[in-house]
Amino acid sequence: PVLAVAVLHNIGQVQYRGGLLRDAIATYEDALSKAERIAAAEEKQQGTMKSDDDDDDDGGSGSKALEISGKGLVASTLNSLGVLHYHASSSEDDSSSVAMDHFRRALDL
């Protein structure tokens, strides 16, 4: 699944460079959906690992790396979507505000 997100990023880049901005946005939205599922699964796994490791006192270091990975995918995809919405913006639509929303969500992670 992580590889699928990376491949979708690459497809989105090719679409963007080919002038297919709306297609690129749709591809990155698909990547975001997959990244959010990965992050949710990793968060759930971290909770399971933490309760299993309560007696071990290792700080859950293995599960922390997983959490960062999923959230990193989401943040990276949100950033890319923000850039695409920025490039799609004009005075007649609200793509620039959508771009800022994506950037803010990425920063919150």
Side-chain angles (χ1 to χ4, degrees), residues 7-8 12 19 23 33 42 52 59 73 75 77 88 90 94 98 100:
V7 171
L8 286 168
D23 291 341
S33 175
E42 289 175 352
D52 288 346
L73 285 172
T77 305
S90 70
D94 68 339
V98 172
M100 290 303 292

Side-chain angles (χ1 to χ4, degrees), residues 6-83:
V7 171
L8 286 168
H9 276 234
N10 291 336
I11 291 169
Q13 274 297 314
V14 170
Q15 290 169 323
Y16 169 70
R17 290 178 187 222
L20 304 170
L21 192 55
R22 295 293 169 198
D23 291 341
I25 289 171
T27 299
Y28 274 98
E29 287 173 349
D30 188 21
L32 179 61
S33 175
K34 289 180 184 345
E36 288 172 333
R37 285 195 303 267
I38 291 167
E42 289 175 352
E43 188 172 311
K44 182 178 178 182
Q45 181 181 9
Q46 178 188 9
T48 302
M49 291 174 73
K50 185 166 179 65
S51 59
D52 288 346
D53 292 341
D54 281 343
D55 298 331
D56 294 342
D57 196 42
D58 70 353
S61 58
S63 61
K64 188 68 173 172
L66 292 174
E67 178 187 4
I68 293 169
S69 174
K71 285 184 178 182
L73 285 172
V74 172
S76 174
T77 305
L78 285 168
N79 182 62
S80 295
L81 272 168
V83 169

Side-chain angles (χ1 to χ4, degrees), residues 22 85-86 88-101:
R22 295 293 169 198
H85 280 284
Y86 169 78
S89 67
S90 70
S91 59
E92 298 152 8
D93 65 23
D94 68 339
S95 290
S96 61
S97 67
V98 172
M100 290 303 292
D101 290 342

